[in-house]
Structures are given as structure tokens and as C-alpha cells.
């Protein structure tokens, strides 16, 4: 099984491409090469393959926090988990259950919230989507500073607050405050829970 993330930039027409395109490419490049692993299409939409489905939520949080820290740009993401039936050299030409589920989540679940998941397991969808809805109450209100600290903390899980403070040139106390405002701990608890249940399901 794999995971496919289908996303687009929110209100991209109100921003110059220069404001968000480079930031989006920067973070997508960390997951592999285009067009095999990711591709931007229709101007402001993208697809990304995550080979380990338990890492899908991490990827979505990384993309959202990177864009918000860079240009205060937000993104909608539909996460799909499932099998792949056909793998083309271009991700947008590939297909299978993961692609169908990602498209379904994007088209149907993102009318009320901007991050959602569709898996082969309905009980997992219900649990995770309720949790994401609650997490988004915090994520949607990230400031540029909150997103920056969240992104650095996410990408450097072993780093201490003191080390992150040194990177940013601020005090450890300020890092702690920003992590709390960003909801870093509870959101990462959800990410850990996500990894656990997806691992359990894919290993059955």
C-alpha cells in the first residue's frame, strides 16, 4: 500500500505565483523527484506519493507548515491510502485505489475542512477525520511565526527548544510559547496515533 496526497493552494489567484510556487516546490522536492514522485499541475494543484502510508500525515503537516512559514499560504490536502494498480513515469498518469481515495477525499471531504483522509477502512476514516477537524481549529490559525516553529520542530524531532531557539535567534521561552500556540504537542500526538493505526492495518 501507498499514500497519495492531492492538494491545491487556497486562494492562489489572489497571490502572485512567485509567492507560493517556489515554497511548494521546495517542500515537495524533499519527498523525491518530479514527475515520478510528485507533480504540480493545473497551475496550483499537486499530487505527491508517499511510499510508506503511515508517513502521510507527517507529509501533509510538513507541507502546510512550510507554506505557512514561508509566505503565509495555506493548502487543502486530500490524503488517500490504498493499493496502486498502474505506476507511470508521471504520477498524474498513475492510478489505483490510493489515487481514487485521495481524489475522493479531496472532492468530497474538503468542502468543510482543508485536510482529510480516505482509506480502505471506514472506522479509521471516521476517527482520523474527526481528529483532523479538531486539529485544524489550531492549524488554520497558525501565524507565520507559529508555522515556522512547528515546521522546524517537525523536521528536527530530536532538537531541543534551546537548539531551535538558536536557529531562529530567539529565546528558548519564546520557542516554548510558539510551540504551545501552534499546538505542537497535541498535533504530534495525533501524528503518532495515525502512524500506529495505519501500521497496524497495513500489517494485517
Amino acid at each position: 500500500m501507498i499514500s497519495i496526497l492531492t492538494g491545491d493552494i487556497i486562494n492562489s489567484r489572489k497571490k502572485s505565483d512567485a509567492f507560493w510556487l517556489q515554497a511548494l516546490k521546495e517542500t515537495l522536492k524533499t519527498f523525491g523527484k518530479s514527475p515520478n514522485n510528485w507533480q504540480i499541475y493545473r497551475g496550483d494543484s499537486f499530487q505527491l506519493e508517499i511510499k510508506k502510508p503511515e508517513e502521510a500525515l507527517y507529509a501533509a503537516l510538513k507541507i502546510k507548515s512550510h507554506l505557512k512559514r514561508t509566505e503565509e499560504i495555506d493548502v487543502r490536502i486530500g490524503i488517500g491510502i490504498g493499493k496502486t494498480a498502474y505506476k507511470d513515469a508521471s504520477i498524474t498518469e498513475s492510478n489505483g485505489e490510493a489515487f481514487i481515495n485521495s481524489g475522493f477525499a479531496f472532492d468530497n471531504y474538503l468542502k468543510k475542512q482543508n485536510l482529510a483522509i480516505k482509506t480502505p477502512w471506514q472506522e479509521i476514516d471516521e476517527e482520523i477525520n474527526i481528529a483532523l477537524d479538531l486539529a485544524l481549529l489550531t492549524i488554520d490559525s497558525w501565524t507565520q511565526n507559529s508555522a515556522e516553529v512547528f515546521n522546524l520542530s517537525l523536521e528536527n524531532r530530536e532538537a531541543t527548544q534551546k537548539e531551535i531557539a538558536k536557529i531562529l535567534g530567539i529565546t528558548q521561552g519564546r520557542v516554548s510559547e510558539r510551540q504551545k500556540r501552534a499546538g505542537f504537542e497535541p498535533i504530534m500526538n495525533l501524528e503518532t496515533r495515525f502512524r500506529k493505526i495505519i501500521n497496524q492495518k497495513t500489517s494485517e
Side-chain angles (χ1 to χ4, degrees):
M1 285 197 174
I2 63 166
S3 179
I4 297 295
L5 275 62
T6 301
D8 70 359
I9 303 299
I10 296 172
N11 295 325
S12 62
R13 293 178 184 177
K14 295 182 180 179
K15 304 274 187 178
S16 166
D17 287 359
F19 279 103
W20 57 264
L21 188 56
Q22 189 58 38
L24 179 60
K25 285 182 177 179
E26 279 175 6
T27 191
L28 290 177
K29 282 177 182 176
T30 65
F31 296 102
K33 295 182 179 180
S34 179
N36 186 254
N37 303 114
W38 61 270
Q39 193 167 7
I40 296 172
Y41 62 99
R42 284 192 327 212
D44 64 353
S45 300
F46 66 89
Q47 275 198 320
L48 168 66
E49 177 186 357
I50 303 297
K51 288 183 169 57
K52 296 180 178 179
E54 67 273 14
E55 296 180 359
L57 182 54
Y58 171 90
L61 291 170
K62 181 174 178 177
I63 293 167
K64 287 179 78 68
S65 59
H66 183 78
L67 287 171
K68 281 204 166 193
R69 74 173 282 190
T70 308
E71 298 291 352
E72 289 189 287
I73 298 292
D74 206 353
V75 60
R76 300 187 305 157
I77 299 174
I79 300 172
I81 290 177
K83 297 176 182 177
T84 179
Y86 170 72
K87 189 72 169 72
D88 193 85
S90 172
I91 186 173
T92 54
E93 299 299 319
S94 303
N95 60 52
E97 182 184 33
F99 294 87
I100 292 168
N101 284 343
S102 181
F104 184 91
F106 187 87
D107 292 335
N108 295 277
Y109 295 162
L110 299 189
K111 293 172 182 177
K112 294 182 179 179
Q113 60 193 71
N114 60 39
L115 179 59
I117 188 168
K118 177 77 171 70
T119 74
W121 315 288
Q122 186 177 352
E123 71 277 13
I124 300 301
D125 295 350
E126 291 173 356
E127 177 183 342
I128 296 298
N129 283 321
I130 289 171
L132 289 175
D133 197 13
L134 291 171
L136 286 165
L137 294 173
T138 299
I139 295 170
D140 289 345
S141 63
W142 278 345
T143 63
Q144 201 162 352
N145 285 339
S146 296
E148 180 178 49
V149 165
F150 188 98
N151 186 258
L152 280 171
S153 303
L154 180 72
E155 293 182 349
N156 303 278
R157 292 300 303 277
E158 302 305 316
T160 63
Q161 289 181 345
K162 190 174 182 179
E163 289 168 334
I164 292 171
K166 190 174 182 180
I167 294 170
L168 295 175
I170 60 177
T171 65
Q172 181 181 343
R174 192 63 62 84
V175 170
S176 178
E177 290 172 6
R178 291 182 184 180
Q179 282 184 338
K180 286 178 183 176
R181 281 201 299 270
F184 182 71
E185 259 192 60
I187 291 171
M188 292 314 296
N189 286 340
L190 170 59
E191 196 272 341
T192 300
R193 169 66 178 159
F194 177 88
R195 283 178 182 265
K196 182 178 179 180
I197 60 177
I198 297 301
N199 267 325
Q200 287 174 342
K201 282 293 186 180
T202 54
S203 62
E204 285 178 356

